[in-house]
Amino acid sequence: MSAPAGQGAGRGTGVRAPSRARIAEKTLRTDRWWLSPLLTVLGLSAFIVYATIRAFVRTAYWVPEYHYLTPFYSPCVSESCVEGSRHFGAWFGELPGFIPLGFLVLPFLLGFRLTCYYYRKAYYRAVWFSPPACAVAEPHAKYTGETRLPLIIQNVHRYFFYVAVVVSLINTYDAITAFHGSDGGFGFGLGNIVLTGNVILLWAYTLSCHSCRHVTGGRLKHFSKHPVRYWIWTQITKLNTRHMALAWTTLGTLVLTDLYVMLVASGAISDLRFIN
Ligand code: FES
């Protein structure tokens, strides 16, 4: 995103620039423009607090009878992971308590979400107040957009997208191996519906990414010469229109999936079994 002329409220810049109308109020809007940023900050904060606590507790993340593994700990690739949860082997020895067992995935999960075009819009308004809403002056003296550190890092989003595809594949593998009965054969329970539903929605969120849309149909001069890519691009574009809804839905399903695995793994509830 390029940096437009300063829009801050500092001396002689942005909305205080000599060429702008002299308006003392921060905004002339009388509607509840603050409600959307407030809900955004509450939703994101709740997720960050929950995910951080869960990442460090190191308990109730694996159900050995049914092979349910929470996405917050996947892939679990150290000796500290309980037996059975290391779907891809132990690449590291015992980890000290201050390193989350899902340390391999959490930075990328966070990076993918934080640099997502939708989340940027949301937290630039709700957290950075840059600006808080349309026709509401921002408190910053200067606006530099994403042209310098730290916000210039947002431009690596396309690389996080490729990692997110790998993470979705890992979560898909976890969901498939979770069709496991207590006798070692095929099993099917409510946990499978939760895990599989979460994975389907994660794929929908990942594939609806703006970077994915560019990967599939970007830089083409003639769609007619690339009918397959054009078809894929049109499907991704349809999904892309739901990106905001998918961003919030998958935050919810991630928490729900982790919570369900935690409750079953800790013995607080029993998994509802349909087969075995
Ligand atoms: Fe949101 Fe890529 S734009 S995940």
Side-chain angles (χ1 to χ4, degrees):
M1 186 186 291
S2 61
Q7 295 175 358
R11 285 163 294 146
T13 63
V15 294
R16 304 285 179 244
S19 55
R20 303 290 290 270
R22 294 271 178 272
I23 299 172
E25 289 82 359
K26 283 202 177 81
T27 181
L28 298 178
R29 285 181 67 168
T30 53
D31 61 328
R32 291 190 297 168
W33 60 266
W34 44 267
L35 187 59
S36 172
L38 178 67
L39 292 177
T40 300
V41 88
L42 289 177
L44 288 179
S45 304
F47 178 79
I48 290 168
V49 169
Y50 179 88
T52 306
I53 293 172
R54 274 297 283 157
F56 285 97
V57 293
R58 288 190 174 199
T59 55
Y61 56 89
W62 167 249
V63 181
E65 299 96 308
Y66 312 130
H67 289 194
Y68 295 162
L69 177 64
T70 169
F72 288 170
Y73 283 68
S74 178
C76 216
V77 287
S78 72
E79 297 286 353
S80 302
C81 303
V82 294
E83 192 64 40
S85 66
R86 299 185 287 254
H87 288 164
F88 302 96
W91 307 347
F92 305 94
E94 292 285 342
L95 296 177
F98 61 86
I99 299 183
L101 297 185
F103 76 99
L104 217 49
V105 70
L106 292 175
F108 294 106
L109 267 188
L110 206 64
F112 187 51
R113 297 259 167 182
L114 279 180
T115 59
C116 164
Y117 286 83
Y118 165 66
Y119 283 109
R120 285 186 220 182
K121 174 188 138 187
Y123 67 72
Y124 282 2
R125 290 182 181 180
V127 181
W128 248 282
F129 300 139
S130 183
C134 290
V136 180
E138 64 175 295
H140 307 285
K142 263 198 339 194
Y143 176 71
T144 55
E146 294 166 349
T147 59
R148 53 181 74 167
L149 280 171
L151 295 186
I152 198 169
I153 294 172
Q154 304 281 26
N155 293 301
V156 300
H157 182 67
R158 73 200 75 168
Y159 304 110
F160 281 123
F161 163 72
Y162 295 118
V163 181
V165 170
V166 175
V167 172
S168 297
L169 285 170
I170 291 171
N171 289 159
T172 304
Y173 179 84
D174 294 341
I176 292 170
T177 56
F179 287 95
H180 188 273
S182 53
D183 64 358
F186 177 81
F188 178 48
L190 181 57
N192 295 107
I193 296 175
V194 172
L195 285 164
T196 306
N198 178 54
V199 161
I200 291 171
L201 286 164
L202 281 181
W203 271 116
Y205 171 65
T206 305
L207 295 178
S208 68
C209 169
H210 293 65
S211 294
C212 179
R213 193 164 169 266
H214 180 72
V215 167
T216 53
R219 291 178 181 272
L220 290 184
K221 286 205 170 70
H222 305 286
F223 277 138
S224 56
K225 290 190 179 153
H226 303 272
V228 175
R229 283 185 68 185
Y230 177 62
W231 183 84
I232 297 172
W233 179 80
T234 52
Q235 304 312 309
I236 297 292
T237 300
K238 283 181 204 160
L239 258 187
N240 181 260
T241 60
R242 311 242 182 280
H243 196 57
M244 181 184 85
L246 286 165
W248 283 110
T249 308
T250 48
L251 271 198
T253 57
L254 275 170
V255 170
L256 185 73
T257 305
D258 177 75
L259 197 61
Y260 189 82
V261 171
M262 179 175 71
L263 291 174
V264 175
S266 63
I269 61 170
S270 304
D271 186 35
L272 178 61
R273 302 301 291 173
F274 306 116
I275 300 176
N276 186 24

